[in-house]
Amino acid sequence: DTAVSQTPKYLVTQMGNDKSIKCEQNLGHDTMYWYKQDSKKFLKIMFSYNNKELIINETVPNRFSPKSPDKAHLNLHINSLELGDSAVYFCASSPGPQLNNEQFFGPGTRLTVL
Amino acid sequence: AQSVTQLDSQVPVFEEAPVELRCNYSSSVSVYLFWYVQYPNQGLQLLLKYLSGSTLVESINGFEAEFNKSQTSFHLRKPSVHISDTAEYFCAVTEMDSSYKLIFGSGTRLLVRP
């Protein structure tokens, strides 16, 4: 009965490869997010979708492409992986995009690019 | 532009001692403030939040934080910590007129020793 789940938990790959991370929430929330946590634990928003529509798109390289097939899923596809993409990626969801909403986080996906 | 500063990257304390984790923010408009906790190998969980009203907010596990507008601070305190409180603590802020973005500090690792 996990609220926000991500797959895979660990991902090790070579530079130049293309990979995807999947996220699903069973909370019935309308809004989902992708965050990147770097090696210094600094957490930064990348994207947010509300009802399958993009509402936040930070200055992220266009090698990163989010896709929301429905409200319960927000996947992250990364093309031509680079060493600097190594990080922990967290998916999160909230009832709506309103600023006072609590965000519920997944367990994270640790991406290592060799 | 809004930013969040957590000056202490790590705070070691002995069990049953009091602790304060510092958080300062910068913003030119009204804000909502949050503390999230990240236990080892898990995603973030909301600990407490300030939206409006009383400047002192409490969590169910004994933490409290006080919003100080003049000092632009939202420090987290607990009078007596347990081993199980060992975790990474993140302060976060969102401006009431922002585009739904939650800005996180760099985190403070609370290490409780027996």
Side-chain angles (χ1 to χ4, degrees):
Chain A
D1 58 346
T2 305
V4 182
S5 59
Q6 297 178 226
T7 53
K9 191 171 174 64
Y10 299 97
L11 184 54
V12 181
T13 188
Q14 301 284 337
M15 269 198 315
N17 285 349
D18 302 338
K19 291 293 179 185
S20 291
I21 307 172
K22 296 186 176 181
C23 177
E24 177 181 3
Q25 54 96 2
N26 62 6
L27 298 167
H29 289 168
D30 286 345
T31 310
M32 296 185 72
Y33 311 80
W34 275 111
Y35 287 88
K36 179 180 180 180
Q37 186 177 46
D38 63 23
S39 58
K40 295 183 178 179
K41 297 277 189 176
F42 190 60
L43 199 66
K44 187 168 166 52
I45 182 113
M46 300 173 69
F47 302 103
S48 176
Y49 273 72
N50 184 54
N51 277 323
K52 301 194 296 177
E53 292 193 14
L54 184 67
I55 58 171
I56 295 176
N57 186 355
E58 288 296 280
T59 47
V60 176
N62 57 15
R63 299 181 295 103
F64 290 79
S65 53
K67 284 191 171 49
S68 182
D70 55 58
K71 282 197 322 181
H73 295 86
L74 180 61
N75 303 323
L76 184 65
H77 188 76
I78 315 170
N79 289 327
S80 303
L81 278 156
E82 300 177 358
L83 293 176
D85 297 332
S86 294
V88 181
Y89 291 84
F90 286 100
C91 177
S93 73
S94 63
Q98 290 76 20
L99 304 175
N100 57 356
N101 276 312
E102 175 182 353
Q103 294 186 20
F104 293 78
F105 284 77
T109 296
R110 183 174 294 276
L111 171 64
T112 303
V113 182
L114 303 175
Chain B
Q2 55 184 320
S3 66
V4 180
T5 302
Q6 292 180 249
L7 286 173
D8 305 306
S9 60
Q10 182 164 298
V11 174
V13 293
F14 287 107
E15 195 173 18
E16 298 183 4
V19 71
E20 179 179 80
L21 306 183
R22 295 180 293 168
C23 172
N24 288 88
Y25 68 91
S26 67
S27 175
S28 56
V29 300
S30 297
V31 296
Y32 295 131
L33 294 154
F34 305 80
W35 275 99
Y36 279 81
V37 59
Q38 184 180 25
Y39 296 104
N41 299 313
Q42 294 185 28
L44 282 72
Q45 305 170 33
L46 181 68
L47 191 59
L48 47 76
K49 62 183 178 182
Y50 169 77
L51 302 180
S52 64
S54 173
T55 57
L56 185 65
V57 291
E58 298 176 352
S59 72
I60 58 173
N61 57 353
F63 283 94
E64 63 178 31
E66 185 156 22
F67 170 51
N68 188 320
K69 189 174 181 179
S70 62
Q71 296 186 5
T72 59
S73 67
F74 191 54
H75 301 331
L76 182 69
R77 295 187 292 262
K78 188 170 185 180
S80 176
V81 293
H82 302 290
I83 297 285
S84 59
D85 292 325
T86 293
E88 194 86 25
Y89 291 80
F90 292 91
C91 182
V93 63
T94 187
E95 293 179 332
M96 291 185 186
D97 61 351
S98 81
S99 54
Y100 311 121
K101 285 190 295 185
L102 196 58
I103 305 298
F104 285 88
S106 54
T108 297
R109 177 161 176 73
L110 175 62
L111 182 57
V112 182
R113 296 167 173 160

